[in-house]
């Protein structure tokens, strides 16, 4: 089985976009709900792996990014719907194969489904009390991650969102071009490990990372162990200070920098 060449990948992406845009809404919601869970599994693995590593931030981030990549592997290999990956299907619109409102419909319902799936998983993690692991070290790490993200400036979150989805969409493209499961897994692993290790911002991942920190604020004992200010950690700031700029950045990184520029090279007549 010969892998696809770059031009062939984008020709296939146009067809993939048509299929995604013509999914029934209930299927979009189910598949995006599952994708939210899968990415959240990667997020919780990241927290577990990094919460007590004492061998340096860089290597800790590398290991965390390595396990986080399982989330996108699950998404791609099971055909789930992920908002950030679907930013690429702008190329189907640019080729005039579908109407623009279908793209907006897909983005809206997939984004909503990803959010519901992520919140569902985060709340289950909270109910499971897995955060008491290692004398609450897991919980402290989870709140620290959420708090750091919520306190980014708009420009920081926006810029990291652009950088993140450049890498995520490269992973999606290389997986599309790969014929075997093994090559798809390796195509996904390296870009995802890179964006996590570098500290970039992914809107769907943050739908888990920040809400789990907010849920954990309900544990008084855990909050008393925190030695940093978490007053900004709430759902309003989550939506306005992080999710909004990161989502805009993700769209620019995935749809414009990767999708549009490659369309201009390979597909524009």
């Amino acid at each position: 089985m010969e892998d696809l060449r770059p031009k062939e990948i984008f020709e296939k992406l146009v067809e993939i976009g048509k299929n995604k845009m013509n999914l029934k809404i209930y299927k979009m919601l189910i598949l995006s709900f599952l994708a939210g869970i899968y990415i959240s599994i990667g997020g919780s693995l990241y927290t577990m792996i990094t919460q007590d590593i004492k061998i340096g931030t860089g290597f800790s981030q590398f290991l965390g990014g390595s396990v986080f990549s399982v989330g996108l592997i699950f998404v791609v290999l099971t055909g789930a719907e992920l908002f950030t990956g679907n930013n690429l299907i702008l190329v189907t619109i640019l080729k005039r194969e579908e109407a623009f409102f279908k793209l907006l419909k897909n983005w809206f319902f997939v984004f909503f489904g990803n959010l519901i799936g992520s919140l569902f998983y985060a709340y289950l993690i909270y109910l499971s009390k897995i955060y008491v692991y290692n004398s609450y070290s897991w919980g402290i790490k989870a709140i620290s991650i959420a708090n750091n993200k919520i306190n980014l400036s708009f420009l920081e979150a926006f810029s990291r969102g652009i950088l993140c989805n450049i890498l995520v969409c490269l992973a999606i493209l290389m997986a599309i071009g790969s014929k075997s499961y093994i090559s798809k897994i390796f195509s996904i692993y390296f870009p995802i490990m890179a964006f996590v290790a570098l500290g970039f911002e992914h809107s769907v991942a943050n739908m888990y990372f920040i809400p789990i920190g907010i849920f954990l604020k309900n544990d008084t004992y855990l909050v008393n162990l925190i030695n940093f200010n978490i007053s900004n950690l709430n759902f309003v700031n989550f939506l306005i200070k992080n999710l909004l700029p990161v989502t805009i950045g993700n769209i620019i990184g995935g749809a414009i920098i990767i999708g549009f520029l490659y369309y201009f090279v390979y597909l524009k007549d």
Side-chain angles (χ1 to χ4, degrees), residues 191-229:
I192 302 307
M193 177 275 293
F195 105 68
V196 176
L198 288 167
F200 298 154
E201 294 288 306
H202 187 268
S203 56
V204 181
N206 289 358
M207 293 174 186
Y208 163 78
F209 277 125
I210 298 177
I212 186 59
I214 296 170
F215 292 147
L216 292 182
K217 286 180 67 177
N218 293 314
D219 189 308
T220 305
Y221 181 82
L222 173 59
V223 170
N224 289 333
L225 298 176
I226 302 295
N227 60 3
F228 46 86
N229 182 12

Side-chain angles (χ1 to χ4, degrees), residues 13-26:
L13 179 61
V14 172
E15 294 303 312
I16 290 172
K18 290 170 66 175
N19 293 334
K20 287 179 178 290
M21 287 184 226
N22 287 295
L23 278 174
K24 293 187 181 297
I25 290 175
Y26 79 89

Side-chain angles (χ1 to χ4, degrees), residues 34-244:
L34 292 171
I37 292 175
Y38 300 155
I39 295 299
S40 298
I41 290 171
S44 56
L45 273 170
Y46 171 89
T47 306
M48 177 64 79
I49 293 299
T50 60
Q51 51 90 24
D52 61 351
I53 293 181
K54 309 297 184 184
I55 53 177
T57 302
F59 194 66
S60 174
Q61 286 291 97
F62 164 71
L63 292 178
S66 296
V67 297
F68 181 86
S69 65
V70 303
L72 190 62
I73 290 170
F74 293 160
V75 168
V76 171
L77 298 191
T78 64
E81 291 286 304
L82 185 68
F83 170 76
T84 48
N86 283 11
N87 289 167
L88 280 171
I89 63 176
L90 175 69
V91 300
T92 306
I93 304 302
L94 296 173
K95 281 289 289 181
R96 300 181 181 179
E97 297 285 341
E98 288 292 349
F100 185 66
F101 85 91
K102 286 190 176 182
L103 174 69
L104 297 181
K105 182 184 76 171
N106 178 275
W107 283 1
F108 174 81
F109 285 108
V110 170
F111 187 88
F112 179 74
N114 290 163
L115 178 61
I116 298 303
S118 301
L119 291 173
F120 174 76
Y121 183 86
Y123 195 65
L124 284 181
I125 288 290
Y126 168 65
L127 294 178
S128 74
K129 287 206 166 185
I130 195 173
Y131 62 88
V132 306
Y133 178 84
N134 195 18
S135 301
Y136 283 85
S137 175
W138 198 103
I140 294 170
K141 178 67 174 182
I143 291 180
S144 175
I145 292 170
N147 197 57
N148 289 337
K149 289 178 177 293
I150 213 85
N151 284 301
L152 292 173
S153 71
F154 191 98
L155 183 59
E156 288 171 335
F158 170 73
S159 302
R160 295 183 192 193
I162 294 174
L163 294 166
C164 169
N165 217 27
I166 289 173
L167 287 165
V168 171
C169 287
L170 286 175
I172 297 292
L173 290 173
M174 293 191 294
I176 290 172
S178 303
K179 294 296 183 69
S180 71
Y181 271 19
I182 295 299
S183 59
K184 286 180 185 293
I185 289 170
F186 276 99
S187 295
I188 294 166
Y189 167 78
F190 287 101
I192 302 307
M193 177 275 293
F195 105 68
V196 176
L198 288 167
F200 298 154
E201 294 288 306
H202 187 268
S203 56
V204 181
N206 289 358
M207 293 174 186
Y208 163 78
F209 277 125
I210 298 177
I212 186 59
I214 296 170
F215 292 147
L216 292 182
K217 286 180 67 177
N218 293 314
D219 189 308
T220 305
Y221 181 82
L222 173 59
V223 170
N224 289 333
L225 298 176
I226 302 295
N227 60 3
F228 46 86
N229 182 12
I230 57 174
S231 60
N232 288 335
L233 192 55
N234 56 62
F235 278 107
V236 173
N237 284 336
F238 161 54
L239 295 173
I240 296 174
K241 295 189 63 178
N242 186 274
L243 193 58
L244 176 62

